[in-house]
């Protein structure tokens, strides 16, 4: 009897699952919805640098990649158009200077505000794209190795950002998200030892996470 009821239960559950899958329509996003996505962000700089004013042969050769938790909030102003704010825990980067190796560690926060267009708000698979503005603040600069004991500061940056992403429904409220930003981040490094250098960081930012609709 126990076996039978378990079999019935499983059959019932499978039926319910099948019905649910068949019956639940693609869950649209619409005007007034809030979407919150949380996951991992990865910053991949596409950097270039001038020489330092006091030592022109020295330039930043590499700004390392960095991964941390990220979150973004979208408010749908119409069924198709939303405004999105990207935030994260600080990203930590190593700066390598030609001939000196790794000399600076720095953290940054890159909040980004995007106006986006959702191409398929009524679908269970919803691609979108947008453009907006980024503000990046650098902090926690620390010099090591060849620049240890000296000071360096990195100016904050304001620049354009573009984004493309896709939401794929998991169930009524949850969805998977993958998105990609290209952000114009340029800073000026000010070293107490070797002067100033202009560094373009201009990263790709990749995000993978889970979203919820409210
Ligand atoms: Ni740039």
């Amino acid at each position: 009897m126990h076996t039978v009821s378990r079999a019935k239960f499983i059959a019932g559950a499978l039926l319910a699952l099948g019905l649910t899958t068949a019956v639940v329509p693609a869950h649209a996003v619409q005007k007034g919805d809030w979407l919150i996505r949380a996951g991992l962000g990865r910053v991949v700089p596409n950097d270039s640098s001038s020489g330092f004013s006091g030592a022109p042969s020295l330039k930043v050769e590499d700004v390392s990649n960095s991964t941390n938790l990220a979150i973004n909030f979208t408010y749908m102003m119409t069924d198709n158009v939303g405004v999105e704010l990207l935030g994260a825990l600080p990203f930590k980067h190593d700066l390598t200077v030609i001939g000196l190796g790794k000399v600076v560690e720095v953290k940054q926060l890159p909040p980004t505000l995007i106006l986006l267009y959702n191409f398929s708000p009524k679908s269970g698979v919803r691609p979108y794209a947008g453009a907006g503005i980024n503000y990046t603040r650098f902090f926690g600069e620390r010099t090591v190795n060849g620049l240890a004991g000296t000071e360096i500061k990195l100016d904050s940056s304001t620049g354009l950002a573009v984004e493309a992403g896709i939401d794929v429904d998991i169930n009524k409220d949850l969805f998977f998200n993958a998105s990609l930003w290209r952000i114009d981040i340029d800073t000026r490094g000010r070293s107490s030892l070797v002067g100033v250098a202009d560094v373009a960081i201009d990263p790709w930012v990749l995000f993978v996470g889970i979203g919820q609709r409210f």
Side-chain angles (χ1 to χ4, degrees), residues 183-186 200-202:
I183 307 180
D184 186 16
I185 300 178
D186 302 303
I201 299 178
D202 299 341

Side-chain angles (χ1 to χ4, degrees), residues 120-140:
S120 189
K122 305 294 174 224
S123 163
V125 177
R126 294 178 298 277
Y128 57 90
I133 192 157
N134 165 266
Y135 172 76
T136 297
R137 192 171 78 82
F138 297 91
F139 61 99

